mmCIF file of all heavy atoms in Angstrom:
data_model
loop_
_atom_site.group_PDB
_atom_site.id
_atom_site.type_symbol
_atom_site.label_atom_id
_atom_site.label_comp_id
_atom_site.label_asym_id
_atom_site.label_seq_id
_atom_site.Cartn_x
_atom_site.Cartn_y
_atom_site.Cartn_z
ATOM 1 N N LEU A 7 0.828 -1.207 0.000
ATOM 2 C CA LEU A 7 0.000 0.000 0.000
ATOM 3 C C LEU A 7 0.862 1.256 0.000
ATOM 4 O O LEU A 7 0.615 2.196 -0.773
ATOM 5 C CB LEU A 7 -0.929 -0.005 1.214
ATOM 6 C CG LEU A 7 -1.775 1.255 1.426
ATOM 7 C CD1 LEU A 7 -2.573 1.600 0.178
ATOM 8 C CD2 LEU A 7 -2.686 1.078 2.629
ATOM 9 N N ALA A 8 1.870 1.286 0.858
ATOM 10 C CA ALA A 8 2.758 2.455 0.911
ATOM 11 C C ALA A 8 3.467 2.659 -0.421
ATOM 12 O O ALA A 8 3.585 3.798 -0.912
ATOM 13 C CB ALA A 8 3.783 2.278 2.030
ATOM 14 N N THR A 9 3.908 1.568 -1.025
ATOM 15 C CA THR A 9 4.593 1.653 -2.323
ATOM 16 C C THR A 9 3.634 2.115 -3.405
ATOM 17 O O THR A 9 3.986 2.948 -4.246
ATOM 18 C CB THR A 9 5.183 0.279 -2.704
ATOM 19 O OG1 THR A 9 6.087 -0.143 -1.680
ATOM 20 C CG2 THR A 9 5.917 0.353 -4.036
ATOM 21 N N ALA A 10 2.411 1.584 -3.401
ATOM 22 C CA ALA A 10 1.422 1.955 -4.414
ATOM 23 C C ALA A 10 1.108 3.443 -4.356
ATOM 24 O O ALA A 10 1.034 4.119 -5.396
ATOM 25 C CB ALA A 10 0.152 1.134 -4.229
ATOM 26 N N LEU A 11 0.922 3.977 -3.162
ATOM 27 C CA LEU A 11 0.639 5.406 -3.030
ATOM 28 C C LEU A 11 1.829 6.241 -3.480
ATOM 29 O O LEU A 11 1.673 7.250 -4.186
ATOM 30 C CB LEU A 11 0.284 5.736 -1.586
ATOM 31 C CG LEU A 11 -1.103 5.271 -1.120
ATOM 32 C CD1 LEU A 11 -1.237 5.431 0.390
ATOM 33 C CD2 LEU A 11 -2.210 6.049 -1.846
ATOM 34 N N ALA A 12 3.022 5.812 -3.096
ATOM 35 C CA ALA A 12 4.224 6.555 -3.472
ATOM 36 C C ALA A 12 4.425 6.554 -4.980
ATOM 37 O O ALA A 12 4.642 7.604 -5.601
ATOM 38 C CB ALA A 12 5.449 5.959 -2.770
ATOM 39 N N VAL A 13 4.339 5.374 -5.598
ATOM 40 C CA VAL A 13 4.538 5.273 -7.047
ATOM 41 C C VAL A 13 3.439 6.022 -7.786
ATOM 42 O O VAL A 13 3.697 6.694 -8.793
ATOM 43 C CB VAL A 13 4.576 3.793 -7.478
ATOM 44 C CG1 VAL A 13 4.586 3.671 -9.009
ATOM 45 C CG2 VAL A 13 5.800 3.107 -6.897
ATOM 46 N N GLY A 14 2.208 5.937 -7.289
ATOM 47 C CA GLY A 14 1.105 6.655 -7.928
ATOM 48 C C GLY A 14 1.331 8.153 -7.955
ATOM 49 O O GLY A 14 1.117 8.815 -8.984
ATOM 50 N N ILE A 15 1.776 8.708 -6.845
ATOM 51 C CA ILE A 15 2.016 10.157 -6.781
ATOM 52 C C ILE A 15 3.219 10.537 -7.637
ATOM 53 O O ILE A 15 3.213 11.571 -8.315
ATOM 54 C CB ILE A 15 2.214 10.585 -5.316
ATOM 55 C CG1 ILE A 15 0.895 10.401 -4.550
ATOM 56 C CG2 ILE A 15 2.682 12.039 -5.236
ATOM 57 C CD1 ILE A 15 1.003 10.620 -3.057
ATOM 58 N N ILE A 16 4.245 9.691 -7.636
ATOM 59 C CA ILE A 16 5.417 9.957 -8.476
ATOM 60 C C ILE A 16 5.020 9.996 -9.948
ATOM 61 O O ILE A 16 5.424 10.891 -10.698
ATOM 62 C CB ILE A 16 6.501 8.885 -8.229
ATOM 63 C CG1 ILE A 16 7.111 9.056 -6.840
ATOM 64 C CG2 ILE A 16 7.599 8.959 -9.303
ATOM 65 C CD1 ILE A 16 7.961 7.881 -6.392
ATOM 66 N N LEU A 17 4.211 9.038 -10.373
ATOM 67 C CA LEU A 17 3.765 8.993 -11.765
ATOM 68 C C LEU A 17 2.835 10.155 -12.085
ATOM 69 O O LEU A 17 2.821 10.667 -13.201
ATOM 70 C CB LEU A 17 3.060 7.662 -12.045
ATOM 71 C CG LEU A 17 3.977 6.438 -12.066
ATOM 72 C CD1 LEU A 17 3.142 5.158 -12.092
ATOM 73 C CD2 LEU A 17 4.905 6.492 -13.268
ATOM 74 N N LEU A 18 2.062 10.567 -11.107
ATOM 75 C CA LEU A 18 1.168 11.704 -11.292
ATOM 76 C C LEU A 18 1.955 12.969 -11.632
ATOM 77 O O LEU A 18 1.487 13.836 -12.373
ATOM 78 C CB LEU A 18 0.358 11.925 -10.003
ATOM 79 C CG LEU A 18 -0.880 12.802 -10.065
ATOM 80 C CD1 LEU A 18 -1.967 12.115 -10.875
ATOM 81 C CD2 LEU A 18 -1.377 13.074 -8.650
ATOM 82 N N LEU A 19 3.163 13.048 -11.085
ATOM 83 C CA LEU A 19 3.983 14.249 -11.248
ATOM 84 C C LEU A 19 5.053 14.090 -12.332
ATOM 85 O O LEU A 19 5.997 14.872 -12.374
ATOM 86 C CB LEU A 19 4.653 14.599 -9.919
ATOM 87 C CG LEU A 19 3.698 14.911 -8.762
ATOM 88 C CD1 LEU A 19 4.458 15.085 -7.466
ATOM 89 C CD2 LEU A 19 2.883 16.174 -9.068
ATOM 90 N N ARG A 20 4.909 13.096 -13.192
ATOM 91 C CA ARG A 20 5.894 12.896 -14.263
ATOM 92 C C ARG A 20 6.062 14.166 -15.086
ATOM 93 O O ARG A 20 5.091 14.809 -15.478
ATOM 94 C CB ARG A 20 5.442 11.775 -15.201
ATOM 95 C CG ARG A 20 5.624 10.390 -14.660
ATOM 96 C CD ARG A 20 4.971 9.369 -15.557
ATOM 97 N NE ARG A 20 5.670 9.219 -16.822
ATOM 98 C CZ ARG A 20 5.172 8.562 -17.868
ATOM 99 N NH1 ARG A 20 3.964 8.034 -17.800
ATOM 100 N NH2 ARG A 20 5.866 8.456 -18.974
ATOM 101 N N GLY A 21 7.329 14.512 -15.332
ATOM 102 C CA GLY A 21 7.617 15.685 -16.135
ATOM 103 C C GLY A 21 7.640 16.990 -15.362
ATOM 104 O O GLY A 21 7.891 18.049 -15.956
ATOM 105 N N ARG A 22 7.425 16.942 -14.065
ATOM 106 C CA ARG A 22 7.430 18.158 -13.255
ATOM 107 C C ARG A 22 8.590 18.095 -12.259
ATOM 108 O O ARG A 22 9.006 17.021 -11.835
ATOM 109 C CB ARG A 22 6.094 18.309 -12.516
ATOM 110 C CG ARG A 22 4.893 18.257 -13.443
ATOM 111 C CD ARG A 22 3.585 18.364 -12.700
ATOM 112 N NE ARG A 22 3.352 19.699 -12.196
ATOM 113 C CZ ARG A 22 2.239 20.070 -11.551
ATOM 114 N NH1 ARG A 22 1.287 19.200 -11.337
ATOM 115 N NH2 ARG A 22 2.088 21.306 -11.126
ATOM 116 N N ARG A 23 9.094 19.253 -11.882
ATOM 117 C CA ARG A 23 10.229 19.300 -10.957
ATOM 118 C C ARG A 23 9.910 18.664 -9.621
ATOM 119 O O ARG A 23 10.774 18.066 -8.974
ATOM 120 C CB ARG A 23 10.661 20.749 -10.750
ATOM 121 C CG ARG A 23 11.256 21.409 -11.996
ATOM 122 C CD ARG A 23 11.669 22.823 -11.697
ATOM 123 N NE ARG A 23 12.234 23.475 -12.879
ATOM 124 C CZ ARG A 23 12.653 24.730 -12.908
ATOM 125 N NH1 ARG A 23 12.564 25.486 -11.813
ATOM 126 N NH2 ARG A 23 13.142 25.230 -14.023
ATOM 127 N N SER A 24 8.665 18.780 -9.190
ATOM 128 C CA SER A 24 8.268 18.228 -7.898
ATOM 129 C C SER A 24 8.295 16.706 -7.880
ATOM 130 O O SER A 24 8.164 16.097 -6.807
ATOM 131 C CB SER A 24 6.867 18.727 -7.531
ATOM 132 O OG SER A 24 5.951 18.496 -8.587
ATOM 133 N N GLN A 25 8.477 16.078 -9.030
ATOM 134 C CA GLN A 25 8.559 14.622 -9.056
ATOM 135 C C GLN A 25 9.720 14.122 -8.216
ATOM 136 O O GLN A 25 9.612 13.086 -7.553
ATOM 137 C CB GLN A 25 8.706 14.122 -10.494
ATOM 138 C CG GLN A 25 8.760 12.601 -10.596
ATOM 139 C CD GLN A 25 8.995 12.111 -12.015
ATOM 140 O OE1 GLN A 25 9.569 12.812 -12.839
ATOM 141 N NE2 GLN A 25 8.542 10.908 -12.308
ATOM 142 N N TRP A 26 10.816 14.845 -8.219
ATOM 143 C CA TRP A 26 11.985 14.402 -7.458
ATOM 144 C C TRP A 26 11.737 14.474 -5.959
ATOM 145 O O TRP A 26 12.232 13.645 -5.198
ATOM 146 C CB TRP A 26 13.206 15.238 -7.847
ATOM 147 C CG TRP A 26 13.596 14.988 -9.268
ATOM 148 C CD1 TRP A 26 13.392 15.797 -10.346
ATOM 149 C CD2 TRP A 26 14.216 13.802 -9.777
ATOM 150 N NE1 TRP A 26 13.852 15.204 -11.495
ATOM 151 C CE2 TRP A 26 14.368 13.974 -11.175
ATOM 152 C CE3 TRP A 26 14.660 12.626 -9.191
ATOM 153 C CZ2 TRP A 26 14.942 13.011 -11.995
ATOM 154 C CZ3 TRP A 26 15.231 11.650 -10.000
ATOM 155 C CH2 TRP A 26 15.372 11.851 -11.381
ATOM 156 N N ILE A 27 10.952 15.441 -5.547
ATOM 157 C CA ILE A 27 10.571 15.507 -4.134
ATOM 158 C C ILE A 27 9.692 14.316 -3.791
ATOM 159 O O ILE A 27 9.856 13.674 -2.746
ATOM 160 C CB ILE A 27 9.829 16.824 -3.839
ATOM 161 C CG1 ILE A 27 10.739 18.018 -4.119
ATOM 162 C CG2 ILE A 27 9.317 16.842 -2.404
ATOM 163 C CD1 ILE A 27 10.060 19.362 -3.944
ATOM 164 N N ALA A 28 8.761 13.994 -4.692
ATOM 165 C CA ALA A 28 7.875 12.851 -4.477
ATOM 166 C C ALA A 28 8.668 11.552 -4.415
ATOM 167 O O ALA A 28 8.359 10.667 -3.608
ATOM 168 C CB ALA A 28 6.833 12.783 -5.591
ATOM 169 N N ILE A 29 9.698 11.422 -5.244
ATOM 170 C CA ILE A 29 10.530 10.219 -5.234
ATOM 171 C C ILE A 29 11.237 10.078 -3.880
ATOM 172 O O ILE A 29 11.254 8.994 -3.284
ATOM 173 C CB ILE A 29 11.562 10.261 -6.378
ATOM 174 C CG1 ILE A 29 10.856 10.092 -7.731
ATOM 175 C CG2 ILE A 29 12.621 9.168 -6.202
ATOM 176 C CD1 ILE A 29 11.774 10.287 -8.923
ATOM 177 N N ALA A 30 11.805 11.180 -3.404
ATOM 178 C CA ALA A 30 12.524 11.137 -2.126
ATOM 179 C C ALA A 30 11.584 10.825 -0.969
ATOM 180 O O ALA A 30 11.860 9.937 -0.141
ATOM 181 C CB ALA A 30 13.230 12.472 -1.890
ATOM 182 N N VAL A 31 10.452 11.534 -0.915
ATOM 183 C CA VAL A 31 9.492 11.320 0.176
ATOM 184 C C VAL A 31 8.881 9.928 0.089
ATOM 185 O O VAL A 31 8.727 9.232 1.100
ATOM 186 C CB VAL A 31 8.389 12.391 0.137
ATOM 187 C CG1 VAL A 31 7.306 12.086 1.165
ATOM 188 C CG2 VAL A 31 8.984 13.775 0.395
ATOM 189 N N GLY A 32 8.541 9.508 -1.131
ATOM 190 C CA GLY A 32 7.944 8.189 -1.309
ATOM 191 C C GLY A 32 8.889 7.072 -0.919
ATOM 192 O O GLY A 32 8.474 6.081 -0.298
ATOM 193 N N ALA A 33 10.159 7.211 -1.274
ATOM 194 C CA ALA A 33 11.142 6.182 -0.915
ATOM 195 C C ALA A 33 11.299 6.082 0.597
ATOM 196 O O ALA A 33 11.318 4.974 1.163
ATOM 197 C CB ALA A 33 12.481 6.505 -1.566
ATOM 198 N N VAL A 34 11.392 7.234 1.250
ATOM 199 C CA VAL A 34 11.521 7.232 2.713
ATOM 200 C C VAL A 34 10.275 6.616 3.347
ATOM 201 O O VAL A 34 10.368 5.799 4.276
ATOM 202 C CB VAL A 34 11.739 8.666 3.239
ATOM 203 C CG1 VAL A 34 11.643 8.693 4.764
ATOM 204 C CG2 VAL A 34 13.097 9.191 2.786
ATOM 205 N N GLY A 35 9.103 6.992 2.846
ATOM 206 C CA GLY A 35 7.858 6.460 3.390
ATOM 207 C C GLY A 35 7.772 4.946 3.263
ATOM 208 O O GLY A 35 7.409 4.249 4.212
ATOM 209 N N ALA A 36 8.125 4.422 2.083
ATOM 210 C CA ALA A 36 8.069 2.978 1.866
ATOM 211 C C ALA A 36 9.063 2.254 2.764
ATOM 212 O O ALA A 36 8.762 1.180 3.316
ATOM 213 C CB ALA A 36 8.343 2.659 0.396
ATOM 214 N N ILE A 37 10.242 2.836 2.932
ATOM 215 C CA ILE A 37 11.255 2.215 3.796
ATOM 216 C C ILE A 37 10.797 2.194 5.251
ATOM 217 O O ILE A 37 10.972 1.192 5.953
ATOM 218 C CB ILE A 37 12.597 2.972 3.665
ATOM 219 C CG1 ILE A 37 13.207 2.724 2.279
ATOM 220 C CG2 ILE A 37 13.575 2.542 4.757
ATOM 221 C CD1 ILE A 37 14.411 3.586 1.974
ATOM 222 N N VAL A 38 10.201 3.283 5.700
ATOM 223 C CA VAL A 38 9.723 3.348 7.086
ATOM 224 C C VAL A 38 8.620 2.316 7.324
ATOM 225 O O VAL A 38 8.609 1.627 8.356
ATOM 226 C CB VAL A 38 9.214 4.764 7.422
ATOM 227 C CG1 VAL A 38 8.478 4.776 8.759
ATOM 228 C CG2 VAL A 38 10.372 5.748 7.455
ATOM 229 N N VAL A 39 7.703 2.203 6.371
ATOM 230 C CA VAL A 39 6.629 1.216 6.518
ATOM 231 C C VAL A 39 7.204 -0.198 6.513
ATOM 232 O O VAL A 39 6.815 -1.045 7.322
ATOM 233 C CB VAL A 39 5.575 1.380 5.405
ATOM 234 C CG1 VAL A 39 4.564 0.231 5.451
ATOM 235 C CG2 VAL A 39 4.856 2.712 5.548
ATOM 236 N N ALA A 40 8.138 -0.462 5.604
ATOM 237 C CA ALA A 40 8.771 -1.781 5.550
ATOM 238 C C ALA A 40 9.476 -2.088 6.873
ATOM 239 O O ALA A 40 9.353 -3.201 7.417
ATOM 240 C CB ALA A 40 9.768 -1.828 4.394
ATOM 241 N N TRP A 41 10.203 -1.100 7.395
ATOM 242 C CA TRP A 41 10.875 -1.281 8.694
ATOM 243 C C TRP A 41 9.856 -1.600 9.781
ATOM 244 O O TRP A 41 10.087 -2.505 10.610
ATOM 245 C CB TRP A 41 11.626 -0.008 9.076
ATOM 246 C CG TRP A 41 11.911 0.080 10.545
ATOM 247 C CD1 TRP A 41 12.933 -0.494 11.222
ATOM 248 C CD2 TRP A 41 11.094 0.754 11.536
ATOM 249 N NE1 TRP A 41 12.817 -0.222 12.568
ATOM 250 C CE2 TRP A 41 11.709 0.540 12.784
ATOM 251 C CE3 TRP A 41 9.928 1.513 11.470
ATOM 252 C CZ2 TRP A 41 11.178 1.064 13.958
ATOM 253 C CZ3 TRP A 41 9.398 2.023 12.637
ATOM 254 C CH2 TRP A 41 10.029 1.802 13.872
ATOM 255 N N SER A 42 8.722 -0.913 9.787
ATOM 256 C CA SER A 42 7.723 -1.111 10.841
ATOM 257 C C SER A 42 7.172 -2.530 10.835
ATOM 258 O O SER A 42 6.889 -3.103 11.892
ATOM 259 C CB SER A 42 6.577 -0.107 10.695
ATOM 260 O OG SER A 42 5.741 -0.425 9.589
ATOM 261 N N ARG A 43 7.042 -3.133 9.652
ATOM 262 C CA ARG A 43 6.506 -4.491 9.570
ATOM 263 C C ARG A 43 7.514 -5.525 10.084
ATOM 264 O O ARG A 43 7.135 -6.535 10.659
ATOM 265 C CB ARG A 43 6.096 -4.811 8.123
ATOM 266 C CG ARG A 43 5.109 -3.846 7.532
ATOM 267 C CD ARG A 43 3.919 -3.628 8.434
ATOM 268 N NE ARG A 43 3.075 -4.817 8.511
ATOM 269 C CZ ARG A 43 2.173 -5.026 9.448
ATOM 270 N NH1 ARG A 43 2.017 -4.160 10.440
ATOM 271 N NH2 ARG A 43 1.431 -6.128 9.428
ATOM 272 N N LEU A 44 8.796 -5.243 9.861
ATOM 273 C CA LEU A 44 9.832 -6.118 10.406
ATOM 274 C C LEU A 44 9.980 -5.892 11.913
ATOM 275 O O LEU A 44 10.182 -6.838 12.680
ATOM 276 C CB LEU A 44 11.165 -5.854 9.710
ATOM 277 C CG LEU A 44 11.200 -6.077 8.197
ATOM 278 C CD1 LEU A 44 12.578 -5.713 7.646
ATOM 279 C CD2 LEU A 44 10.855 -7.511 7.854
ATOM 280 N N TYR A 45 9.867 -4.654 12.327
ATOM 281 C CA TYR A 45 10.049 -4.283 13.727
ATOM 282 C C TYR A 45 9.025 -4.968 14.623
ATOM 283 O O TYR A 45 9.359 -5.437 15.724
ATOM 284 C CB TYR A 45 9.935 -2.766 13.860
ATOM 285 C CG TYR A 45 10.161 -2.226 15.241
ATOM 286 C CD1 TYR A 45 11.449 -1.930 15.703
ATOM 287 C CD2 TYR A 45 9.079 -1.975 16.093
ATOM 288 C CE1 TYR A 45 11.650 -1.417 16.968
ATOM 289 C CE2 TYR A 45 9.272 -1.462 17.368
ATOM 290 C CZ TYR A 45 10.562 -1.183 17.803
ATOM 291 O OH TYR A 45 10.755 -0.672 19.065
ATOM 292 N N ILE A 46 7.772 -5.039 14.168
ATOM 293 C CA ILE A 46 6.739 -5.653 15.005
ATOM 294 C C ILE A 46 6.744 -7.178 14.873
ATOM 295 O O ILE A 46 6.050 -7.868 15.621
ATOM 296 C CB ILE A 46 5.330 -5.112 14.708
ATOM 297 C CG1 ILE A 46 4.843 -5.592 13.345
ATOM 298 C CG2 ILE A 46 5.297 -3.610 14.821
ATOM 299 C CD1 ILE A 46 3.394 -5.238 13.073
ATOM 300 N N GLY A 47 7.514 -7.694 13.908
ATOM 301 C CA GLY A 47 7.636 -9.139 13.753
ATOM 302 C C GLY A 47 6.569 -9.789 12.894
ATOM 303 O O GLY A 47 6.328 -10.997 12.997
#
């Protein structure tokens, strides 16, 4: 879900400068969610 939302927003902003911000924020968000699933076991 976190990846889908991140990729969706990144694709929404294709061709715009803000896409790079979306890539950075989306990557961090997906990593944090992935970490949380491992953290809780």
Side-chain angles (χ1 to χ4, degrees):
L7 175 54
T9 302
L11 287 170
V13 172
I15 293 173
I16 290 167
L17 290 169
L18 196 69
L19 299 173
R20 284 172 70 192
R22 306 178 72 177
R23 293 181 180 178
S24 52
Q25 182 184 26
W26 294 105
I27 298 176
I29 290 173
V31 174
V34 171
I37 290 171
V38 169
V39 172
W41 159 83
S42 73
R43 304 310 291 163
L44 300 177
Y45 183 86
I46 70 173

